[in-house]
Amino acid sequence: MKNAQGVRVRVSGTAALLTVALLAGCAKSGIEPISSGERYVSTERFEERYLLGPGDQVRVIVFNEPQLSGQFAIGTNGEISLPLIGSLVVAGKTVAEASDLVRAEFSQGYLRDPRISMQIDTYRPFFILGEVGQPGQYPFATGMTALNAIATAKGFTPRAKRNVVMIRRFGEQYEQPYVLTPDLRVWPGDTLRLTERFF
């Protein structure tokens, strides 16, 4: 009797877990797609607001010091390695903030009144998966839209859902659904996923 009851309890518990999982899946898939906000506005002054991260490459110019200037990649640890001053963490900073950091470090006994210019040479790539002709990793370009990204990946497959795209922002764990319009912007490091339509 005790064993039989134990089995029934375990089965009931399993059934309850499956029910919760199914309900959670339904709730997740039923999320209303986002149709407005920062991804749907102009990209003017994008670089001023952009936060540097691994995969980006910046060009640092130290005026009158060509041997200290050059292109530098931001590593997976968020650092760039510069002559004389060594490694600096720039991930999570704007270009202006990173430039100020470099200037401050060069001022610590290395250069008198250093003048620094920094700009982004190459943004980290974006990724596109699912129902596109050629899923993969692609270089990012300023002003890129989701439709541009899809075209870069050889367009929609015949099964693709064409009014919604899932996007996971760089550094975030979960993707979110967005209404696919000509104004929807892609950001460096994004992962886009085109799902399959059901009819």
Side-chain angles (χ1 to χ4, degrees):
M1 176 72 76
K2 187 176 289 185
N3 289 341
Q5 287 176 342
V7 169
R8 281 199 296 272
V9 169
R10 284 196 296 271
V11 170
S12 299
T14 303
L17 287 173
L18 286 173
T19 301
V20 170
L22 286 171
L23 289 173
C26 291
K28 187 175 182 181
S29 63
I31 295 174
E32 191 70 23
I34 298 167
S35 60
S36 62
E38 56 186 350
R39 284 192 182 269
Y40 293 90
V41 299
S42 171
T43 58
E44 290 180 11
R45 304 178 68 182
F46 170 78
E47 188 171 313
E48 293 180 17
R49 295 178 284 109
Y50 178 69
L51 300 181
L52 297 168
D56 292 327
Q57 293 190 16
V58 295
R59 181 166 298 280
V60 178
I61 298 173
V62 184
F63 289 94
N64 298 320
E65 300 289 346
Q67 73 278 11
L68 302 179
S69 304
Q71 186 185 64
F72 303 93
I74 302 175
T76 55
N77 57 2
E79 297 180 346
I80 55 172
S81 183
L82 300 172
L84 290 183
I85 59 177
S87 296
L88 298 175
V89 176
V90 296
K93 300 181 184 299
T94 64
V95 171
E97 291 168 341
S99 180
D100 288 343
L101 177 62
V102 171
R103 182 182 299 107
E105 289 297 318
F106 273 123
S107 297
Q108 301 300 312
Y110 297 104
L111 298 174
R112 180 179 297 176
D113 191 25
R115 291 186 299 146
I116 309 295
S117 172
M118 181 183 293
Q119 63 186 37
I120 300 174
D121 262 4
T122 307
Y123 289 94
R124 53 184 174 264
F126 71 92
F127 303 84
I128 186 163
L129 311 171
E131 297 299 324
V132 290
Q134 192 171 323
Q137 171 184 310
Y138 292 93
F140 173 84
T142 303
M144 176 169 279
T145 66
L147 289 175
N148 295 149
I150 293 166
T152 301
K154 309 301 181 186
F156 298 100
T157 68
R159 299 182 302 276
K161 188 173 184 179
R162 299 185 178 216
N163 61 339
V164 173
V165 59
M166 306 299 293
I167 301 179
R168 181 169 62 84
R169 186 174 183 173
F170 178 81
E172 294 185 354
Q173 187 174 359
Y174 300 107
E175 60 184 9
Q176 293 183 303
Y178 286 86
V179 175
L180 187 53
T181 72
D183 295 324
L184 178 60
R185 306 292 176 176
V186 173
W187 294 336
D190 277 347
T191 297
L192 286 69
R193 184 172 65 88
L194 274 294
T195 59
E196 186 175 350
R197 56 189 172 88
F198 296 106
F199 54 88

